[in-house]
Amino acid sequence: MHPYLIIAINFLMSLSLLIVLHELGHFIPARLFKTRVEKFYLFFDIKYSLFKKQIGETIYGIGWLPLGGYVKISGMIDESMDKEQMAQEPKEWEFRSKPAWQRLIIMLGGVFVNVVVGFLIYICLIASNGLPQANGNDFKYGFGFPETLEEVGFIKGDKILLINKDTIANALSLNHKLIFRDVETVTVLRDGNKVDISIPEDIGSRMFEAGVSTSLEARVPFIVNNVASGSKAAAIGLQSGSKILSVAGYPITYTTDYTYAINHKVTHGEPFQVVWEYKGKRYEKEAAFSTIEKTSFFLFTKTVDEPKILGFTKKPTDPTYQTVERRQYTLSESISEGISQGYWTMHDYIVQFKYVFTAKGASQLGGFGTIAKLYPDSFDWTAFWATTAFISFILAIMNILPIPALDGGHVMFLLYEIITGRKPGDAFLERAQITGIIILLSLMLYANGNDLFKALFG
């Protein structure tokens, strides 16, 4: 089965499950408070339903447009904009006839379920699989660092021991923590001595703007493994078993040296030298990355930088370069770790909003295509459930944003009513709902437009 098809299947299975559970979060409290639910739909049924069946007062169905789902609750101003129903006298089974606190619980139900589902999945994954653990000492050759981290005091070969004087379970997560957490000091092991590195407050922004990966890279000696046919590596004569000696004058010993040279020493449009050794002989050839013209099937043309890829895979020459163990947890420990992991997942996702409101962040905003890429391209159920948990937390956070038409918009108006004792008028709520729908559609078009643009032009 094609990897893209597997990704699509994983995406639709996960999304469908989370949508149904989210809508159940609204449906169950609505029914408990004797509020009539007219429809319960997976996906949107604009003019047409793939399936529908009425059971009692509720029509259950599957729509044709896979952009979400909904429950239509009687007497509520929502995306259906049912003005005819709202013009009639309130009925006792309608949403608008219920006390504000009951309406608040109904509106918070979907977000609550998404958060609980995320926690439960993490707890189950940790209970069954444990978590990888590797301190800096578990990486034989230490780590390589991009220029942004070298500027604040890191040196290639440093081994990460402590963050803010506390142990770090997995040293590979350093970059992620620097971008999303409040880190003041990092303690490294350097030439057998412990060294404290002070971290500037703006390190996260600097790393984001520089495009630094959220995963730290361990150093490992290597040789060339496979060379791709038609690649620049093949064109200059690199062969399997070659040992790279230098790139653009930068000496290469470890994989991280090669990454550093490609990212920081090679410039588009400028030739550079690749030096390597093969079967005891030394070779030196010139290569270059330039700009290329990309034309989409819509015949739009754009000049872009050629990807900095020579076209070969690396084979470690020392398989003992790292020792990563998987710690197993008891059920009670899994609950604690799962809740902690869920909390920090939500924390880090909220923190990333400060990067979204930058020119680079806005250009990276993605829609359904970006989300789909989070899913594995094989039927790996551990990866599937981990991604599902992450998306569940994302849905909770996005839905609680105080934008009319989202759950958070309804919650905002209900809190206003509870605090002031005054209920916003129906006309105002209708206008707010329309405004919210326009905002959401605009954001959706922009995000998915970014996905389309990247797919067409790279």
Side-chain angles (χ1 to χ4, degrees), residues 44 56 154 217 254 272 285 304:
F44 292 110
F154 289 93
E217 186 179 0
Y254 304 100
F272 61 93
K285 290 291 180 69
V304 298

Side-chain angles (χ1 to χ4, degrees), residues 9 23 38 43 55 59 66 85 102 109 111 128 139 157 165 182 185-186 198 209 218 279 350 390 408 429 434 452:
I9 292 172
E23 299 307 334
E38 299 175 11
F43 305 148
I55 302 175
I59 298 174
Q85 184 184 78
Q102 290 185 2
V111 169
S128 61
F139 296 89
K165 306 299 183 181
D182 294 324
T185 62
V186 175
S198 296
E209 290 297 330
K279 292 185 177 181
I350 292 171
F390 178 60
L429 292 176
I434 293 171
L452 181 60

Side-chain angles (χ1 to χ4, degrees), residues 151-164:
E151 290 169 359
V152 301
F154 289 93
I155 296 176
K156 59 182 180 180
D158 283 351
K159 299 180 178 181
I160 313 303
L161 298 181
L162 306 171
I163 291 182
N164 292 338

Side-chain angles (χ1 to χ4, degrees), residues 32 132 187 194 244 313 416:
L32 287 174
T187 303
K194 291 183 179 179
I244 308 293
T313 59
Y416 169 82

Side-chain angles (χ1 to χ4, degrees), residues 138-215:
D138 295 319
F139 296 89
K140 187 174 181 179
Y141 303 99
F143 299 95
F145 302 92
E147 280 186 342
T148 307
L149 293 184
E150 287 187 338
E151 290 169 359
V152 301
F154 289 93
I155 296 176
K156 59 182 180 180
D158 283 351
K159 299 180 178 181
I160 313 303
L161 298 181
L162 306 171
I163 291 182
N164 292 338
K165 306 299 183 181
D166 196 7
T167 56
I168 177 172
N170 191 342
L172 292 170
S173 66
L174 173 68
N175 284 4
H176 181 93
K177 288 181 169 58
L178 291 175
I179 295 173
F180 296 110
R181 312 281 174 86
D182 294 324
V183 178
E184 297 179 356
T185 62
V186 175
T187 303
V188 302
L189 186 66
R190 181 182 299 166
D191 298 326
N193 300 310
K194 291 183 179 179
V195 178
D196 289 336
I197 300 173
S198 296
I199 305 301
E201 291 184 0
D202 66 342
I203 188 63
S205 299
R206 288 161 63 176
M207 291 174 70
F208 177 78
E209 290 297 330
V212 174
S213 168
T214 55
S215 180

Side-chain angles (χ1 to χ4, degrees), residues 241-243 245 275-284:
S242 299
K243 178 178 173 57
L245 301 178
V275 181
W276 72 93
E277 183 182 274
Y278 179 68
K279 292 185 177 181
K281 293 185 178 181
R282 188 176 183 275
Y283 299 85
E284 181 173 344

Side-chain angles (χ1 to χ4, degrees), residues 6 8-18 379 381 384 388:
I6 295 174
I9 292 172
N10 282 329
F11 175 60
L12 284 174
M13 285 195 305
S14 176
L15 185 65
S16 299
L17 173 65
L18 293 176
F379 290 115
W381 294 113
F384 170 82
T388 298

